Amino acid sequence: MAADDTVVDRFTSWLRDRGLPVTAQRVAVAEVLFEADRHLSAEEIAAELNGRGSKVGTATVYRTLDVLLESGLVVERDFGEGFRRFESARDVPQHEHLICTGCGRVEEFRDDRIERIAGELAESRGFTRERHRLVIYGRCRSCRAANS
Amino acid sequence: MAADDTVVDRFTSWLRDRGLPVTAQRVAVAEVLFEADRHLSAEEIAAELNGRGSKVGTATVYRTLDVLLESGLVVERDFGEGFRRFESARDVPQHEHLICTGCGRVEEFRDDRIERIAGELAESRGFTRERHRLVIYGRCRSCRAANS
DNA sequence: ATAAATGCAAAGGGTTTGCAAAGGC
DNA sequence: GCCTTTGCAAACCCTTTGCATTTAT
C-alpha cells in the first residue's frame, strides 16, 4: 500500500499486501527483470542470477514469473521463438515490435493510429478490445548491408 | 506444371515437378488442411485423419506440414498457445486476427490502413518490411453476455 | 532398383508439477 | 509453529530425429 520508489519495492509491497513471503529469490528475479533493458527469457534470467551468485532453480524462476505477471508489474511476450520473454511493464504502456529477421534485433515503438484502429476494428465486430499485438518483421539496415 | 483445379492438385503437381513421391498420407493431410475453414493444429489434423480412417503417424503429419509450408500453399500461425496452427494460404493474402479471450474464437479480417502504416513504420526505422502480424485480443459478444 | 517417405519410439526443448526440506510470517 | 516457497527431478506437451521398413517412381 505504501508509495515506494523502485519497481522492486512495488513488487515487495504487492507481496506483503497479500501476506505472501518476500523471499530473496523473488526479489532477485524481480531485480534482474526490472533492471534489464531487453525482453528476457526464463533461461536468460536464470543465467544472469547464476552470474550474480544467486542460485535460483529453474522452477522458482518460472513460479516467480507467474507471480510477477499476476502483479501486473511484468508482461510476457511471445515472438514465436518457441519460448516466452518477459519485461517490466513499467516502460511499456502499449507498444509495438519491429523485429529484424536477419539479426533478431527487437525495436519498440508506439503509434497512436494503430491503437485507435485496433479499437475500432474490434468494436466493429462486436468485440470489447482488451489488448493487441503488432509485430512487423523486416530487415534492418545493417543486415541489408551485410546481406547476411 | 499443369493448370489444375483444386489446391490439392496444385500440391501434387508441386510434388511431381520436383520428383517427390505423392503418397497417400501427403494427400490426406493436404485434403484436411485445404477443406478446413479453421486454423488447425498438428494434433487436430492427426485426429481428423484418424476419424477418416487414414492412419497417419504424428511424425508424418509434421513432415508433411513442412513440405506444405515449403510449397507455399500452407502458412503457419502462432497465437502463443504453445503450439502452431496451420491454414491454407489460399484464402489469405494478408490478414489480421481478432481472438476472443473467452472462447478462443478467431476472426480474420483485412484492413488496408494497417498494412500501409506497418510499411511506413518499418521504413521510418530503416527496416525493409517483409511481413507483419496484428492480433487483437478481446471478448466477443456472446462471451460478454455469458460473462464466462 | 533406387531414393525417398513412413511408423514407431526415443530424444529434445521449454515449461510445469510432486514432494520433502527450508524459510518467511 | 503454520503455511508458503524452494529445489530437485520427474513429468508434460509439442515437435523432431534415428532407424528399420515400406512405397512411389
Side-chain angles (χ1 to χ4, degrees):
Chain A
M1 225 52 167
D4 292 308
D5 281 318
T6 76
V7 199
V8 176
D9 285 340
R10 268 194 274 157
F11 179 49
T12 57
S13 299
W14 186 90
L15 289 170
R16 270 191 263 273
D17 284 352
R18 45 219 87 207
L20 295 174
V22 178
T23 66
Q25 292 89 332
R26 282 176 170 172
V27 172
V29 170
E31 278 174 356
V32 168
L33 217 32
F34 292 137
E35 287 168 13
D37 54 339
R38 308 181 302 112
H39 310 74
L40 262 36
S41 66
E43 195 185 2
E44 287 170 336
I45 294 169
E48 175 62 27
L49 287 170
N50 277 319
R52 297 184 182 193
S54 318
K55 301 154 217 302
V56 181
T58 319
T60 300
V61 171
Y62 280 105
R63 286 187 280 230
T64 302
L65 285 169
D66 285 343
V67 178
L68 282 162
L69 287 170
E70 214 177 322
S71 78
L73 294 168
V74 162
V75 293
E76 64 181 323
R77 306 278 176 195
D78 184 340
F79 294 123
E81 300 168 292
F83 55 87
R84 293 174 291 165
R85 291 185 174 277
F86 304 83
E87 70 173 312
S88 165
R90 163 173 35 89
D91 28 35
V92 189
Q94 169 66 56
H95 66 277
E96 322 302 348
H97 290 102
L98 181 55
I99 303 184
C100 178
T101 55
C103 60
R105 195 170 79 209
V106 180
E107 289 198 14
E108 299 173 357
F109 62 91
R110 254 179 57 74
D111 189 279
D112 293 326
R113 292 170 299 177
I114 298 287
E115 290 173 46
R116 183 171 39 70
I117 294 173
E120 274 176 32
L121 291 169
E123 275 168 40
S124 71
R125 281 167 186 74
F127 279 62
T128 305
R129 165 162 171 274
E130 293 177 343
R131 62 186 196 281
H132 74 260
R133 234 166 73 68
L134 172 66
V135 183
I136 304 175
Y137 297 90
R139 282 184 99 68
C140 71
R141 220 187 300 274
S142 21
C143 281
R144 234 175 315 135
N147 194 36
S148 65
Chain B
M1 227 50 170
D4 292 306
D5 281 319
T6 76
V7 199
V8 177
D9 286 339
R10 268 195 274 157
F11 179 48
T12 56
S13 299
W14 185 91
L15 289 170
R16 269 191 264 273
D17 284 352
R18 46 217 87 208
L20 295 174
V22 178
T23 66
Q25 292 89 331
R26 282 177 169 173
V27 173
V29 170
E31 278 174 355
V32 168
L33 216 33
F34 292 137
E35 288 168 13
D37 54 340
R38 308 181 303 111
H39 310 75
L40 263 37
S41 66
E43 195 185 3
E44 287 170 336
I45 294 168
E48 174 62 26
L49 287 170
N50 276 319
R52 297 184 182 193
S54 318
K55 301 154 218 302
V56 181
T58 318
T60 300
V61 171
Y62 280 105
R63 284 188 280 230
T64 302
L65 285 169
D66 286 343
V67 178
L68 282 162
L69 287 171
E70 213 176 325
S71 78
L73 295 167
V74 162
V75 293
E76 65 182 322
R77 305 277 176 197
D78 184 340
F79 294 122
E81 300 169 291
F83 54 87
R84 291 175 292 164
R85 291 184 174 277
F86 304 83
E87 70 173 312
S88 165
R90 162 174 35 88
D91 28 34
V92 189
Q94 167 67 54
H95 67 278
E96 322 302 347
H97 290 101
L98 183 54
I99 303 185
C100 178
T101 55
C103 59
R105 195 170 79 208
V106 180
E107 290 199 12
E108 299 172 356
F109 62 91
R110 253 180 58 74
D111 190 278
D112 293 326
R113 293 171 298 176
I114 298 287
E115 291 173 46
R116 183 171 39 73
I117 293 173
E120 272 176 33
L121 290 170
E123 276 168 38
S124 72
R125 281 168 186 72
F127 279 63
T128 307
R129 166 163 170 273
E130 294 176 342
R131 64 185 195 281
H132 75 261
R133 234 166 75 67
L134 172 66
V135 183
I136 304 175
Y137 297 90
R139 281 183 100 68
C140 71
R141 222 187 301 274
S142 22
C143 281
R144 234 174 316 133
N147 193 36
S148 64

